[in-house]
Amino acid sequence: MMCVHCATPVDAVYVEYSPGNIRLSVCAKCEHTADEYVECEMMIVLIDLVLQKSKAYRHIFFNYPLLHKLSMREFVWKASLLVLLLDSCMFYYFEMAFIYSFCFVQCHMKLVVAKVALVDNFFLLTVLVVSHILLKRVAYSKTVWTDIRMALVLSSYFKLFVFAMMVWEFSPLMAFIIDMLVLSSNTVAIKVMLNTSMPIAATATAAGALVRIIMGALLKLLI
Ligand SMILES: [Zn+2]
């Protein structure tokens, strides 16, 4: 577990004296309460996530799974599949719906999903490589790959707006706004996960987004 303010490791974020009687731990470094979200409703955490507060991301990535004994690996894989589905829908609605009929897309749905998965993985790979170069880290580990995937997938919650787009009509500008919001929360999530500065996280995310645009344009030509 860690202090959500300064990312210093702590033994526990609270001490339980008796059932329902707890005292929040204080961080030895910054002297703030290590994790005040322990006592907050989930809605407060969600609001702080939308407001892009780093401490809310630290709580969700590091403390929440330990406090609630969650298997994040399983959850992240399920969330990855949901994000892939939402990206595929977005790709259809804003890239293909104007050109191809629904029947054509239905026949080629597997191809569309495979290409969106490829583009998403290139995005992930670029963020990983650029952040490692900027942080001057030499060794690559499976843990870092999983951590970055978790950060990017869980911080892509703005993509849930795609469900609303399927029901109501939105202009392509809305897709652009959602993309910007997702990239913004991706940047904060990478900053928190790698415990680095905002310029490094923003550069890695921007490089990933650039590669995704190029790959998306190339693959669109192949469909
Ligand atoms: Zn602290």
Side-chain angles (χ1 to χ4, degrees), residues 126-153:
T126 309
V127 172
L128 179 72
V129 171
V130 173
S131 57
H132 264 62
I133 291 169
L134 294 174
L135 292 169
K136 296 176 181 160
R137 288 181 185 166
V138 182
Y140 285 81
S141 68
K142 198 178 171 186
T143 320
V144 177
W145 174 265
T146 312
D147 287 348
I148 290 186
R149 177 179 286 279
M150 180 170 96
L152 293 178
V153 168

Side-chain angles (χ1 to χ4, degrees), residues 50 52 57 155 157-158 178-190 198 205:
V50 172
Q52 316 281 301
Y57 284 85
S155 61
Y157 49 83
F158 279 112
I178 289 175
D179 267 344
M180 290 299 106
L181 289 172
V182 170
L183 285 176
S184 164
S185 55
N186 284 167
T187 303
V188 179
I190 292 293
M198 189 58 94
T205 313

Side-chain angles (χ1 to χ4, degrees), residues 23-153:
R23 184 172 63 82
L24 298 179
S25 306
V26 174
C27 172
K29 188 179 175 187
C30 67
E31 297 182 350
H32 280 101
T33 304
D35 189 349
E36 61 267 32
Y37 290 114
V38 171
E39 287 190 323
C40 294
E41 294 287 332
M42 196 59 193
M43 187 53 72
I44 303 291
V45 183
L46 291 176
I47 290 169
D48 279 357
L49 285 173
V50 172
L51 293 174
Q52 316 281 301
K53 291 188 179 177
S54 299
K55 59 181 185 176
Y57 284 85
R58 280 193 195 100
H59 171 75
I60 290 293
F61 291 160
F62 301 105
N63 296 345
Y64 188 85
L66 290 171
L67 288 169
H68 297 272
K69 297 180 176 62
L70 287 179
S71 166
M72 287 306 277
R73 182 171 289 189
E74 192 183 321
F75 179 73
V76 167
W77 276 110
K78 287 177 185 170
S80 299
L81 291 176
L82 178 64
V83 168
L84 176 62
L85 181 71
L86 294 172
D87 279 343
S88 303
C89 290
M90 190 108 98
F91 185 73
Y92 166 70
Y93 278 104
F94 292 104
E95 304 287 346
M96 299 180 72
F98 305 110
I99 308 168
Y100 303 106
S101 67
F102 182 69
C103 292
F104 176 89
V105 176
Q106 238 181 349
C107 294
H108 295 81
M109 200 58 204
K110 280 182 191 169
L111 191 65
V112 171
V113 173
K115 286 180 178 177
V116 170
L118 188 66
V119 172
D120 281 356
N121 277 302
F122 264 99
F123 173 67
L124 179 66
L125 186 65
T126 309
V127 172
L128 179 72
V129 171
V130 173
S131 57
H132 264 62
I133 291 169
L134 294 174
L135 292 169
K136 296 176 181 160
R137 288 181 185 166
V138 182
Y140 285 81
S141 68
K142 198 178 171 186
T143 320
V144 177
W145 174 265
T146 312
D147 287 348
I148 290 186
R149 177 179 286 279
M150 180 170 96
L152 293 178
V153 168

